[in-house]
Amino acid sequence: MSKLDFFIIRADLHAFRSDVLIFTGLFPDDNPENRHLKVYVNGKETPVELSMEQGPEIRRRYLVHKQNASQELTGFVQLPGDGVKKVQIFSCLDKEETLVYTMSGKLYRCLCHTMNGNMEQSRLEDGRIYLTGWVTGPEGLTCKVWADGKEVPAIMERKYRKDVNDLCKELDESYLAGYEISVEDTGMRRLKIELEAQGRKLIYKKSAAAARDSKNHDEDWIVKRLLHYWHVHGLKRTVRLVVRKLRGLDDAYSYGDFLKKHVLTEQELEEQRHAKFDFCPKFSIAVPLYRTKEKFLRELVTSIQKQTYGNWELCLADGSGQQENLKSLVESLAQADNRIKYTLLQENLGIAGNTNAALQMAQGDFVVLADHDDLLTEDALYQCVKALNEHPGVDVIYSDEDKVDMSGKQFFEPHFKSDYNVDLLCTMNYICHLFVFKRDLLQQVGGFESCYDGAQDHDFILRCCEVAKEIYHIPRVLYHWRCHRESTSANPESKLYAFENGCKAVEAHYKRMGIPATVEQGPFYGMYRSRYHWSETPLLSIIIPNKDHVADLKKCMDSIEERSTYRNFEFIIVENNSTEPETFAYYDSMKGRDNVTVLYYEGEFNYSRINNFGAQSAKGDYLLLLNNDTEMIEPDGLKEMLDLCMRPEVGIVGARLFFEDNTIQHAGVIIGFGGVAGHAFIGLDREANGYFSRILAVQDLSAVTAACLMVKRSVFEEVGGLEEQFRVAFNDIDFCMKVREKNYLVVYQPYATFYHYESKSRGQENSSEKVARFNQEVDLFRSRWPEILENGDPYYNPNLTLDKADFSLKE
C-alpha cells in the first residue's frame, strides 16, 4: 500500500523470557479508528496484549513515508511451548489484511540463544582497552574476554542507557542496559568478548589495534555517529546529511580553524601578566576531589598555575577516603606553591558535601567552581578581573566552554552561549562552566544541597542568579570540560537520578519565585519542560488581518476552533480591502458566532496600523497577533504560549513556525542576521534540534515574529502598540525591542507549533516602490536601535556568524 499502515521499529523476544514476542511500531496521524492488528503463530490467530501511546509527546514522532507517526503501539505475544515455525503480524482494516512483519522458525530459534545488544565503541586509555555498548537479557549477566585466544581478566561496569530503555518497553526505569568492559592492554591483536546470561549469549570479536589507532578511532566515531543519526532520523535525512558534508555545505570552518585564528600569543599573555587593575580581587578556586586520577589533577593544577592573573588560591577538598586519597601528591604541590590548600575529609560527603567542604576553605572575594579533571585557559582569571573592573556591580560571571579529550590536547564541541537567559536556564543548565560568584552570595543562598546531587550545580546556579544584582557573560572559552570524544555521538549514559534531580532543582526555583509550575523531562535528558498551573483562564483576543484568501483564513480559524485545548478566546478579523465575493460571504457566515468580530479597516496596507486598529476592539487581557496564512498544529499551542505570557516578567511570547514542506520558518529572531534581523535556523528540517538544542528550548530572545505573537494587553498599551512608520517590515522586531526596553522578557515557546504559508496575501517585494519602502524601513530600524546593531544581540554570541542562520562559527 502507498500509505503507512504499521511501521515496525522493533520485533524481538522479550529481554528476560524466550516464550514472549514483543514488538513496537508506529501508526500514522490519520490512522482510521477501526484499524487493528492481528498476530498469527504457526498459522493460528493468537491473542496479543497491546498498549498504545499517542499524541505530540511521543519521542519517535518523525516523518515516516511523508506522514507524521504520532501513535506508538507495543504488543506482547505469548508463544507456544512446543516450538515456533512462523510468526506473522498483519495490519487490518475492514476485511483487508496487510502483512507487516514475519519471524521464521529459524530466526526464533536463533533469538532463543542470543541476547539483544550492540558493542558500539572501543578506546585506549591509561594502558587499558575500554569497550562500550548495551545489552538486554536475563539476570546474572557475566563477561569473559579472550586476548589472542587466552582468557584475560576483565572488569565490567553496568550503566544506564536512556535510549535502550525507551525502545525496550519490558525494561523498568532502573534497568542498566549499558556496559563498559575494560582489559589491560598487553599488546594483543584480537579480542573476543562473550556476554552470557541463563544460556543466552552475545559474542563479539574486536581488533585491539583499532582502539589504539587514532585514525581508525576517529573513523569508527564518524561511522557510529552516522549510524546513530540514521537510527534517529531515518535513511533519507542521513543521505541528505552526507551529501551536504561531501559538498562542503557544513562544517567548512572547523573549530580547529577557529582555535588557530584566536590562539593567544605569548606577547598577549605577557601583557596580561603585567596588566594593572584598580580592583584586584582574590579568587578562590573550589574543587571537590574523589578518587581523582593523578594525571588529571596535575593538569588542572598546572592550568591554574599558568593563569596570567596571579591573585588566587586553590581549595581542594578530598572525599576519596583513607586508602585512595591524594594527600601526598597535593602536599608536594603545595610545598612549591603556598596558594594550594588541601583538606582530607573523614568520609565521602557526595559531590555537594565535598564541594561545600572546599567552599568552607575559601577566603577570596570571588569563588570559581571547577571539576577535578577539567582545565582552565591561561587567561580565565584575567578575563574575569577585566570584566569586574569594567562592570563594578557584577557579582556572578560565567563564560563559554568547550570539551577536551582524555589526552588533554584535542578540543571540540565549543558552547558559545547566550547572555543571561533565565528561561534557557530553566530548560537546561546552559551556564555550567566557567561559573564565578561573589563569596558574599553564600550567606544569602547557602551552599550546595545533596538532595540535588547530579544536578547540584544547576540548583546552585539558579539560586545565585535569583539574588545576583548583575550577571555578566564573558563570550570567550575559558574552560575545557574533559570527556570522551565518543560521548558526543551517543545518547547520554548517566544515572536517572541526576535528571530527576534536575527537574526538582528547576521546580524549586519556580517555587521560590512564586510561579505555579511543575517540571518534567524535556525532549532529551538534560533538558526540562515546565508545566504551568495557573488558576485563571483569561480571555485571549486573536487578531487576524485579512485581504481575500478566504480559504487560508478559514483553515487558520478552523485549526484553532477544532484543535485548541484552550477555549476562552475570541477572533478579531480585520478586513483590509478585499474584493472577492467569497470573502464577504464567509464574513456573513460568521455573523452568528459570538466569539467572532469582523472589523473593516479602510486605507492602504499598513500592518502596524491594522493590528493597532484591531487591538482597540479586543476584549481580552492577552492579544495574539496572527497571520491569516497560519495553521495551528499542536492542540496545546495557545495554552503553551499563554502559560508563559501570564508570568509577570514576560511581555511577549513567540511560537515555532514551519513552512509547508516541514522546514523551519521561525525559531526566534536574531538581531544582526542579514544585516538587520533574521529568523534563527530558517530552512532546517522540522525535526532538527539546532545548536545545543536551541530549536527545542524555551528561551528568552530579543525578538520573535508577529506572524504568531502573543502579548499582554497592558504591555501592548504601555509601549503604544506597533510603530506605524513600519508599514510592512520590521514592525514586529521594533515592537519587541520596545517591550524589552521596558524590561519585559520576550520568550520563544517551541512547544507552540504552527504552519506558516508566508505572505500569500501580500505578494513579494519585487517592485521598485516596495524595494524603496523596504530600504526606508531598514534605515528607520537602524536609526531607532543602533546600540544592539553595533554591540550585537545579547541572546546570540559574537563568536557565531551573522551570515548564516544555523549558529555556525564566525570566520
Side-chain angles (χ1 to χ4, degrees):
M1 298 180 65
S2 61
K3 288 192 174 183
L4 168 68
D5 289 319
F6 186 65
F7 183 76
I8 294 283
I9 58 176
R10 182 211 175 192
D12 201 353
L13 293 186
H14 193 288
F16 313 130
R17 298 176 55 184
S18 298
D19 61 342
V20 175
L21 171 70
I22 179 171
F23 62 87
T24 301
L26 301 169
F27 274 123
D29 276 343
D30 57 356
N31 176 53
E33 291 185 3
N34 60 338
R35 184 177 294 283
H36 59 285
L37 298 177
K38 287 184 180 180
V39 178
Y40 293 87
V41 179
N42 299 338
K44 180 181 179 180
E45 186 175 353
T46 303
V48 55
E49 179 185 337
L50 297 171
S51 63
M52 173 77 81
E53 295 180 63
Q54 57 186 350
E57 300 305 317
I58 292 179
R59 180 179 64 86
R60 295 180 188 87
R61 179 176 181 137
Y62 62 95
L63 293 180
V64 181
H65 296 279
K66 297 184 179 180
Q67 296 189 50
N68 288 318
S70 62
Q71 301 180 37
E72 182 180 272
L73 183 145
T74 299
F76 295 84
V77 182
Q78 180 68 50
L79 300 175
D82 57 353
V84 173
K85 298 179 180 178
K86 181 182 289 188
V87 178
Q88 295 174 302
I89 302 174
F90 288 87
S91 172
C92 305
L93 180 63
D94 299 326
K95 297 181 179 181
E96 180 184 8
E97 294 184 356
T98 303
L99 181 64
V100 294
Y101 176 77
T102 299
M103 174 186 287
S104 66
K106 182 178 180 181
L107 176 58
Y108 166 74
R109 291 188 293 274
C110 178
L111 293 176
C112 285
H113 299 289
T114 189
M115 293 181 291
N116 197 9
N118 186 31
M119 183 169 287
E120 298 169 326
Q121 299 158 354
S122 62
R123 71 179 191 276
L124 177 66
E125 180 185 326
D126 293 339
R128 295 186 70 83
I129 291 177
Y130 289 83
L131 307 159
T132 58
W134 62 271
V135 61
T136 60
E139 293 183 359
L141 181 70
T142 61
C143 171
K144 293 182 180 180
V145 179
W146 289 266
D148 295 335
K150 181 180 179 181
E151 187 173 356
V152 295
I155 299 172
M156 180 172 67
E157 180 183 355
R158 301 300 297 273
K159 296 186 176 184
Y160 179 74
R161 280 294 294 260
K162 170 233 176 205
D163 54 333
V164 179
N165 285 29
D166 280 348
L167 182 62
C168 300
K169 305 299 183 181
E170 68 270 37
L171 305 179
D172 61 41
E173 288 186 343
S174 62
Y175 186 83
L176 301 179
Y179 63 77
E180 183 175 75
I181 301 167
S182 70
V183 296
E184 183 181 359
D185 182 18
T186 58
M188 72 283 281
R189 297 175 58 192
R190 301 290 301 175
L191 291 170
K192 177 183 175 182
I193 305 95
E194 179 185 281
L195 302 174
E196 190 272 338
Q198 299 183 22
R200 298 173 71 175
K201 295 182 180 181
L202 270 180
I203 297 176
Y204 296 101
K205 295 181 180 180
K206 293 294 234 181
S207 167
R212 303 186 191 102
D213 188 341
S214 61
K215 180 178 179 180
N216 289 344
H217 169 81
D218 288 342
E219 290 174 352
D220 183 63
W221 172 63
I222 292 170
V223 170
K224 296 302 182 186
R225 285 192 68 185
L226 284 174
L227 290 175
H228 176 70
Y229 192 89
W230 187 350
H231 172 72
V232 174
H233 301 293
L235 177 61
K236 183 177 180 180
R237 286 185 57 192
T238 304
V239 171
R240 187 189 311 167
L241 173 69
V242 172
V243 170
R244 287 182 61 84
K245 295 286 186 183
L246 292 175
R247 292 176 61 190
L249 297 178
D250 291 304
D251 296 333
Y253 185 65
S254 71
Y255 186 47
D257 297 329
F258 180 91
L259 289 175
K260 291 176 184 178
K261 183 177 180 179
H262 291 88
V263 65
L264 288 170
T265 66
E266 185 54 43
Q267 180 180 346
E268 289 172 320
L269 293 172
E270 192 63 25
E271 290 174 355
Q272 291 182 8
R273 295 185 186 103
H274 293 90
K276 303 296 182 181
F277 294 101
D278 293 333
F279 177 45
C280 298
K282 184 176 184 177
F283 291 97
S284 296
I285 305 168
V287 181
L289 305 179
Y290 181 71
R291 298 181 180 179
T292 309
K293 292 184 178 181
E294 288 192 9
K295 172 181 181 292
F296 294 162
L297 181 58
R298 287 183 183 276
E299 291 180 359
L300 170 64
V301 172
T302 299
S303 76
I304 294 171
Q305 290 175 324
K306 286 185 176 182
Q307 292 299 302
T308 56
Y309 179 80
N311 191 12
W312 54 264
E313 63 177 3
L314 176 58
C315 305
L316 303 171
D318 191 351
S320 303
Q322 297 298 319
Q323 302 301 318
E324 302 181 71
N325 64 70
L326 295 145
K327 183 176 181 180
S328 59
L329 169 62
V330 178
E331 285 181 345
S332 68
L333 295 172
Q335 286 179 358
D337 193 333
N338 60 12
R339 295 173 294 181
I340 299 176
K341 301 161 69 173
Y342 175 83
T343 183
L344 176 60
L345 305 178
Q346 294 300 311
E347 60 179 343
N348 178 29
L349 303 177
I351 183 64
N354 294 347
T355 303
N356 286 336
L359 292 176
Q360 290 173 8
M361 303 164 63
Q363 298 297 316
D365 303 289
F366 283 79
V367 178
V368 181
L369 299 179
D371 289 342
H372 62 172
D373 53 356
D374 295 340
L375 304 171
L376 274 65
T377 66
E378 292 183 60
D379 63 332
L381 298 184
Y382 168 85
Q383 296 295 342
C384 292
V385 174
K386 183 171 178 285
L388 290 169
N389 277 268
E390 294 174 351
H391 305 274
V394 167
D395 43 19
V396 164
I397 296 173
Y398 68 94
S399 77
D400 299 337
E401 63 187 290
D402 64 13
K403 291 183 173 65
V404 60
D405 70 358
M406 307 312 287
S407 73
K409 297 178 181 178
Q410 297 295 322
F411 303 98
F412 59 100
E413 199 174 310
H415 189 182
F416 292 114
K417 307 169 186 176
S418 159
D419 283 357
Y420 183 59
N421 195 322
V422 65
D423 281 283
L424 187 58
L425 186 58
C426 288
T427 301
M428 64 179 76
N429 183 10
Y430 84 93
I431 288 180
C432 208
H433 306 298
L434 180 72
F435 187 71
V436 182
F437 61 94
K438 200 171 187 178
R439 190 164 62 92
D440 293 349
L441 290 186
L442 283 173
Q443 298 175 356
Q444 296 177 256
V445 307
F448 284 72
E449 297 186 11
S450 60
C451 61
Y452 300 112
D453 271 358
Q456 75 289 334
D457 53 346
H458 197 177
D459 166 69
F460 185 75
I461 288 171
L462 281 164
R463 285 187 280 129
C464 286
C465 291
E466 288 165 13
V467 302
K469 296 182 181 67
E470 186 176 348
I471 302 166
Y472 187 75
H473 164 227
I474 300 174
R476 295 176 64 93
V477 170
L478 302 182
Y479 194 95
H480 305 303
W481 183 359
R482 194 187 301 264
C483 71
H484 297 298
R485 186 176 178 92
E486 302 96 307
S487 66
T488 63
S489 65
N491 280 350
E493 296 181 24
S494 186
K495 295 181 179 179
L496 187 59
Y497 78 88
F499 304 120
E500 292 174 344
N501 286 343
C503 291
K504 294 175 184 176
V506 179
E507 201 167 290
H509 160 75
Y510 286 131
K511 186 175 181 180
R512 291 189 296 269
M513 296 294 100
I515 298 173
T518 54
V519 180
E520 61 191 44
Q521 298 292 347
F524 303 102
Y525 280 105
M527 292 186 72
Y528 307 108
R529 182 170 184 179
S530 302
R531 300 283 193 179
Y532 295 87
H533 308 287
W534 304 105
S535 58
E536 305 89 351
T537 55
L539 178 63
L540 173 65
S541 297
I542 304 173
I543 302 172
I544 308 177
N546 186 67
K547 179 182 180 182
D548 292 320
H549 291 277
V550 69
D552 294 327
L553 176 62
K554 185 177 186 303
K555 179 186 289 187
C556 174
M557 297 177 66
D558 287 352
S559 70
I560 295 172
E561 282 281 16
E562 296 171 5
R563 299 173 190 167
S564 179
T565 57
Y566 190 84
R567 304 307 304 172
N568 192 17
F569 57 80
E570 65 169 355
F571 290 107
I572 307 293
I573 311 302
V574 186
E575 156 59 30
N576 176 220
N577 297 321
S578 293
T579 58
E580 297 175 2
E582 294 84 355
T583 304
F584 297 98
Y586 182 62
Y587 295 157
D588 290 340
S589 71
M590 295 188 291
K591 285 183 177 180
R593 293 169 58 176
D594 57 6
N595 70 336
V596 179
T597 300
V598 179
L599 304 176
Y600 290 83
Y601 167 83
E602 297 180 359
E604 63 180 4
F605 181 85
N606 182 314
Y607 183 83
S608 299
R609 190 174 297 164
I610 289 171
N611 279 282
N612 291 342
F613 178 71
Q616 293 173 8
S617 298
K619 302 181 183 70
D621 291 328
Y622 294 83
L623 310 177
L624 179 65
L625 309 186
L626 189 65
N627 279 20
N628 64 346
D629 55 354
T630 59
E631 178 185 358
M632 191 176 78
I633 300 171
E634 301 296 347
D636 287 339
L638 297 186
K639 184 181 185 302
E640 294 282 8
M641 297 180 76
L642 191 58
D643 279 345
L644 287 172
C645 208
M646 289 175 69
R647 282 179 17 210
E649 72 276 19
V650 175
I652 288 174
V653 178
R656 180 160 51 133
L657 308 181
F658 305 121
F659 288 114
E660 191 171 6
D661 64 355
N662 284 304
T663 58
I664 290 173
Q665 193 269 344
H666 171 267
V669 170
I670 301 299
I671 308 299
F673 277 0
V676 180
H679 291 188
F681 304 110
I682 188 169
L684 293 189
D685 191 272
R686 172 175 174 166
E687 301 301 318
N689 305 333
Y691 186 73
F692 283 86
S693 297
R694 284 188 63 170
I695 292 175
L696 305 179
V698 177
Q699 63 194 279
D700 307 322
L701 292 171
S702 289
V704 293
T705 179
C708 181
L709 180 153
M710 189 177 292
V711 59
K712 284 186 177 73
R713 184 193 186 96
S714 59
V715 173
F716 186 90
E717 293 174 349
E718 183 179 351
V719 301
L722 279 71
E723 173 55 58
E724 295 182 5
Q725 292 184 70
F726 292 102
R727 293 168 49 200
V728 177
F730 305 114
N731 36 56
D732 46 3
I733 316 302
D734 174 80
F735 179 60
C736 290
M737 297 298 293
K738 291 198 299 180
V739 169
R740 287 189 59 239
E741 194 174 41
K742 296 292 185 179
N743 295 317
Y744 294 103
L745 294 177
V746 174
V747 187
Y748 163 67
Q749 173 54 284
Y751 297 110
T753 56
F754 290 72
Y755 283 113
H756 183 202
Y757 304 111
E758 192 163 33
S759 301
K760 286 183 178 178
S761 60
R762 190 170 53 84
Q764 301 298 313
E765 304 291 334
N766 51 11
S767 69
S768 58
E769 180 183 353
K770 289 181 178 180
V771 171
R773 189 262 311 144
F774 178 81
N775 290 334
Q776 182 182 7
E777 292 176 353
V778 168
D779 293 339
L780 178 61
F781 184 87
R782 286 174 172 164
S783 68
R784 287 171 62 87
W785 308 107
E787 185 174 341
I788 192 171
L789 289 168
E790 181 179 350
N791 297 333
D793 191 324
Y795 297 112
Y796 197 56
N797 190 294
N799 294 293
L800 302 177
T801 184
L802 293 172
D803 297 330
K804 294 190 291 184
D806 61 358
F807 286 47
S808 53
L809 291 173
K810 179 180 180 181
E811 297 188 35

